[in-house]
Amino acid sequence: MAEAAILRVRHCGADIFCRRAPPCCPACGCPLRNAGLGAAPVRLPSPFRHGHHQPRAFLLRPTVGSFLGGYDGKSDLHVGITTSNGVVYNYNEEGVQRAETGWEQCLSIPLVQPDMFGLLQQWDQLLDEFSVGEAWLPHRYEEHDHNCYTYALAFINSVLTAQGKQQMSKLEFTEKFVIPQTKKASKYMTLHQELTANDVYIVPLPGQEKQC
């Protein structure tokens, strides 16, 4: 699904967020055309990615709905691991699923660097072999203690172990990789919600005087 762009214009000591660049400052009414480089509209990069276009990645999305489709920031999230061609392996009460659709708006964390040639070649086989383990049979699923996150992190740790690297705890992986992404997503979702209700959203810059 295509996202409407979010633009930022700086003027009057504030960040002005909008969908379309305004000809005049919404705060003071001054024309922005000759207001300098700072007032030039900048498109904010979206933190969300089409998950099926993200090879060998850890994906995160709402279990129901989408981040920009009414997600409240509190509902359950679902995670998965992509193959080299974007099939999302994920674990739920029905066992390991291999999804080719449904992950079009996700947070994505790349797991393999371009110079890891051996892992690039073996990734799909490793993921497939790991996923047939008895630990991931449907009856083993438990919502809080043996879930999609357990599965994804266990696979990541199996790869780290094979490389002779130290495994990561759930807390460590979450703090290092997931939280920075969710913070970006939270800010972007706030802007999206504000601009769904209003044409502009004005945020004063810290320590700035309102000057035109």
Side-chain angles (χ1 to χ4, degrees):
M1 115 184 47
E3 293 175 29
I6 295 179
L7 306 178
R8 184 198 69 208
V9 174
R10 282 192 170 156
H11 202 255
C12 289
D15 277 338
I16 301 164
F17 299 97
C18 49
R19 297 292 190 189
R20 296 179 180 177
C24 298
C25 173
C28 70
C30 294
L32 293 175
R33 188 168 194 174
N34 299 312
L37 190 60
V42 175
R43 178 171 179 158
L44 299 187
S46 170
F48 305 115
R49 300 287 179 267
H50 192 305
H52 300 290
H53 297 168
Q54 306 296 310
R56 308 175 192 88
F58 176 97
L59 301 184
L60 185 74
R61 68 162 172 81
T63 302
V64 178
S66 64
F67 282 114
L68 297 180
Y71 179 65
D72 61 7
K74 299 175 183 177
S75 302
D76 289 342
L77 295 171
H78 193 43
V79 305
I81 304 284
T82 57
T83 64
S84 59
N85 56 4
V87 176
V88 184
Y89 279 53
N90 59 101
Y91 179 58
N92 61 22
E93 60 275 7
E94 297 178 358
V96 176
Q97 309 298 307
R98 295 160 178 81
E100 297 184 16
T101 60
W103 296 72
E104 289 79 16
Q105 191 185 91
C106 304
L107 296 176
S108 175
I109 299 167
L111 296 174
V112 183
Q113 300 302 316
D115 61 350
M116 296 179 175
F117 302 111
L119 194 52
L120 288 171
Q121 298 298 321
Q122 298 175 344
W123 186 263
D124 290 356
Q125 181 182 349
L126 292 172
L127 182 56
D128 206 50
E129 291 175 351
F130 176 82
S131 300
V132 299
E134 290 188 9
W136 316 117
L137 292 172
H139 72 274
R140 297 290 303 276
Y141 181 85
E142 206 286 319
E143 184 178 358
H144 300 292
D145 298 318
H146 194 77
N147 53 29
C148 59
Y149 206 127
T150 313
Y151 163 79
L153 185 59
F155 173 69
I156 292 168
N157 278 328
S158 74
V159 173
L160 290 173
T161 298
Q163 293 181 304
K165 297 179 180 178
Q166 187 173 350
Q167 293 194 358
M168 301 183 74
S169 68
K170 180 177 180 180
L171 179 62
E172 183 182 4
F173 184 83
T174 301
E175 289 184 343
K176 186 173 182 179
F177 296 106
V178 177
I179 289 178
Q181 292 283 346
T182 56
K183 283 183 176 179
K184 291 178 186 176
S186 178
K187 291 178 181 178
Y188 195 88
M189 284 189 293
T190 297
L191 294 175
H192 172 79
Q193 290 164 4
E194 291 289 342
L195 293 176
T196 298
N198 305 287
D199 290 335
V200 296
Y201 178 51
I202 300 175
V203 180
L205 292 169
Q208 294 285 323
E209 295 290 333
K210 285 194 174 181
Q211 296 178 348
C212 298

